[in-house]
Every structure is written in structure tokens, then in C-alpha cells.
Amino acid sequence: MNPNTTINRRDFIRATTLAAAGVALGVAELQAAQAGGKKIPWGVQLYSLRDQCKTDLPGMLKVVSDTGFKGVEFAGYHWRSAKELRKMLDDNGIVACGTHTPYETVVGDKLKDTIEFNKTIGNKFLIVPSMNARTKQDWLDKAKLFNDLADKVKPEGMYVGYHEHAPDFKKIEGETPWDIFFGNTKPEVIMQLDVSNCSDGGSDPVAILKKYPGRTRSIHMKAHGAGPEAVIGEDKLNWPEIFAWCEGPGGTQWFVLEHETSKDPVDAVKRSFAALKKMGKV
């Protein structure tokens, strides 16, 4: 992969290699920590700052850190090596809480390089953001593949997962791709729901989350239904129930903020943090 390539939402990922090492808390331990008052950390999906990252990735990592977020989820590397990225993260006191890595980089011989890259940047969540699958059998085949991948990355302290888009909630052959895939993958495969995309697909994110306890190690938190500048809490989603599930049976280890539509992305990230602080979530 060429880390210098610029990527648009689905392709933004296709010029990249990703995700990482580290031993994760088990769901039971995580819930115990949360019961003791420990908050789930928040990261920023860097697609939120995609244009700014093209010209000033170090500056954007500093903005994320200075705002108060604890990590970032990569979606492209902007011509940086794994060692360079790790230094930038360390210099700003933040971590890689995930990465959107192309499907092509987790299959075949490329998986080894992807694991090594993510070991270096310190990331343990390898999230595939899109896949070509049109039939139920296609999705079943992908589920089998991800079960195998989960076993392969487990010794490295890593997880594989899938990030959904609205079409994944449109039924094919009587069932949604989301349910076909996650209904046939093992618990170690991360179910990275995007609550806004889910709503765009006509589904209730709370209902979807509740079907799969313990699977939401990472989740995209994005305002929905209130205009391009709205941040979490200013929109139409049922945030109290989403938070309650993630902080309990969902087993969430990272909340990942995404804001794709603001005319001033940096301001949107800062306003989002202020809203979360007001809600007591950071």
C-alpha cells in the first residue's frame, strides 16, 4: 500500500495497511472497570479531518490530543511509515484505537505485513470498512474468512472486524447482510456499528446492538438526522440507550467519534468533545 495516497470514504481506505497489538480487557473486566467509574475512552476517526490530514497530519493529531481525545482511528496514512506514525502518536500522548484497513490487506500474503505495520503503531483493531458481497452465500463466505482471520491475529493480541454502511441493513434473500455476517462469525470478530449509517439503512441502532451482546468493542458515534453541523446530543438518536448498552452488555472498549459533514471539521471535533463533556462521557 502507498501511505501517501488520498482516499475518499470507501477508497480512502484502499490505499492503506492497518491495525495492531496489545492484550484487550475481557468484557467482564471491562464492565467491572466501568462499574467502578472508569469511562470508556474516546478516539477520533481521522476521516473526520481528512482534508486537513492531507497537509498537516502532525497538526491534526495535536488538535485531537489537545482537545482531550485519547486516540485516533486511521483511514489512510498520508505518506507516513509505521514508525513515523508511532512517533507522532507518542509525541501527542495518544494511541491508535483502530484503523480502517482495506479488505485486500487482511487476506493472503498481505496479512503478515498488515500485522507488522499495526504492531508498530500499537493498534489492535483491524477494521475492514467495506467488502464486495452481493448474495447470502457471498456473506457466508466472508464470515468464514473472518473467523479464520480472527484465529490468525489472536496470537498477536489483535482483532479483526467489519464496519457497516447503510446497504448492509437492506435485506437480501430474506435477511440483512449485517445479520448474515455477524450471525455466522465468532464473538472475537468486532461488530463496528456506525449508529448513523445504521439509521440511514432504516434500522434502529439500539435494537441492532442488543442482538449481539459483547460484540461492540469499537463503535462509531455520529450524530444523525439534524443537519450537517449537528453534534452528538443535538440530533435525533437515542443516545441514553446507546450509551447504556455500550457501557454494559455491549462490551465497548472504544467510542470512536466521526463527523463527516461540517464546513469546519476542526471546530466540529471540538464542539463534539464539548457536548460529550457536558453529557459526562469524557
Side-chain angles (χ1 to χ4, degrees):
M1 128 190 167
N2 185 343
N4 285 303
T5 305
T6 304
I7 322 172
N8 67 50
R9 183 59 180 174
R10 290 205 172 196
D11 287 332
F12 195 78
I13 315 245
R14 218 152 231 131
T16 190
T17 318
L18 292 142
V23 179
L25 284 173
V27 172
E29 291 171 284
L30 185 69
Q31 291 172 350
Q34 290 160 8
K38 186 176 180 180
K39 295 175 181 176
I40 296 172
W42 283 79
V44 174
Q45 163 54 249
L46 289 179
Y47 187 76
S48 306
L49 301 167
R50 54 197 176 278
D51 291 331
Q52 291 74 20
C53 285
K54 292 175 191 175
T55 57
D56 187 13
L57 179 59
M60 290 305 100
L61 295 181
K62 186 175 188 303
V63 165
V64 169
S65 176
D66 288 350
T67 301
F69 290 97
K70 304 300 183 184
V72 293
E73 184 179 68
F74 285 99
Y77 303 122
H78 306 284
W79 292 94
R80 266 59 177 211
S81 68
K83 288 183 178 179
E84 288 173 318
L85 293 174
R86 181 57 181 265
K87 185 177 187 305
M88 290 181 204
L89 293 171
D90 291 345
D91 287 348
N92 285 286
I94 55 177
V95 301
C97 63
T99 184
H100 276 194
T101 187
Y103 172 79
E104 296 84 358
T105 67
V106 297
V107 295
D109 294 339
K110 292 185 179 180
L111 178 62
K112 181 179 178 181
D113 291 339
T114 298
I115 288 173
E116 289 306 312
F117 190 100
N118 284 276
K119 274 186 182 180
T120 301
I121 67 172
N123 172 50
K124 67 184 179 185
F125 289 164
L126 299 155
I127 309 295
V128 173
S130 64
M131 296 189 291
N132 291 322
R134 298 183 178 181
T135 68
K136 182 174 183 177
Q137 188 58 53
D138 287 342
W139 283 103
L140 289 171
D141 291 343
K142 290 292 193 295
K144 183 178 184 301
L145 172 66
F146 271 65
N147 285 336
D148 293 341
L149 287 172
D151 290 339
K152 290 178 180 178
V153 302
K154 186 175 182 179
E156 308 294 341
M158 295 182 181
Y159 296 87
V160 293
Y162 176 65
H163 171 87
E164 116 292 344
H165 293 273
D168 295 327
F169 296 100
K170 304 297 184 182
K171 289 184 178 181
I172 55 173
E173 301 177 51
E175 197 171 3
T176 66
W178 182 263
D179 283 332
I180 297 169
F181 183 77
F182 285 106
N184 290 280
T185 45
K186 56 182 60 179
E188 289 81 5
V189 177
I190 293 175
M191 182 185 88
Q192 193 186 59
L193 190 74
D194 179 310
V195 293
S196 180
N197 289 351
C198 178
S199 299
D200 283 338
S203 292
D204 174 9
V206 174
I208 297 297
L209 288 168
K210 288 183 176 179
K211 290 184 70 174
Y212 300 96
R215 301 290 296 273
T216 315
R217 291 181 179 86
S218 173
I219 181 171
H220 272 212
M221 307 294 252
K222 187 195 306 179
H224 176 80
E229 296 298 334
V231 298
I232 291 172
E234 297 175 350
D235 60 320
K236 299 180 179 180
L237 291 179
N238 187 346
W239 289 106
E241 284 217 42
I242 292 171
F243 283 123
W245 180 260
C246 291
E247 292 165 355
T252 302
Q253 296 179 19
W254 278 95
F255 289 136
V256 181
L257 173 78
E258 187 168 32
H259 198 299
E260 302 175 328
T261 55
S262 177
K263 292 181 180 179
D264 187 341
V266 171
D267 178 66
V269 167
K270 293 179 178 180
R271 286 189 293 111
S272 295
F273 188 85
L276 295 170
K277 189 171 184 179
K278 187 175 180 180
M279 299 168 74
K281 297 300 175 183
V282 291

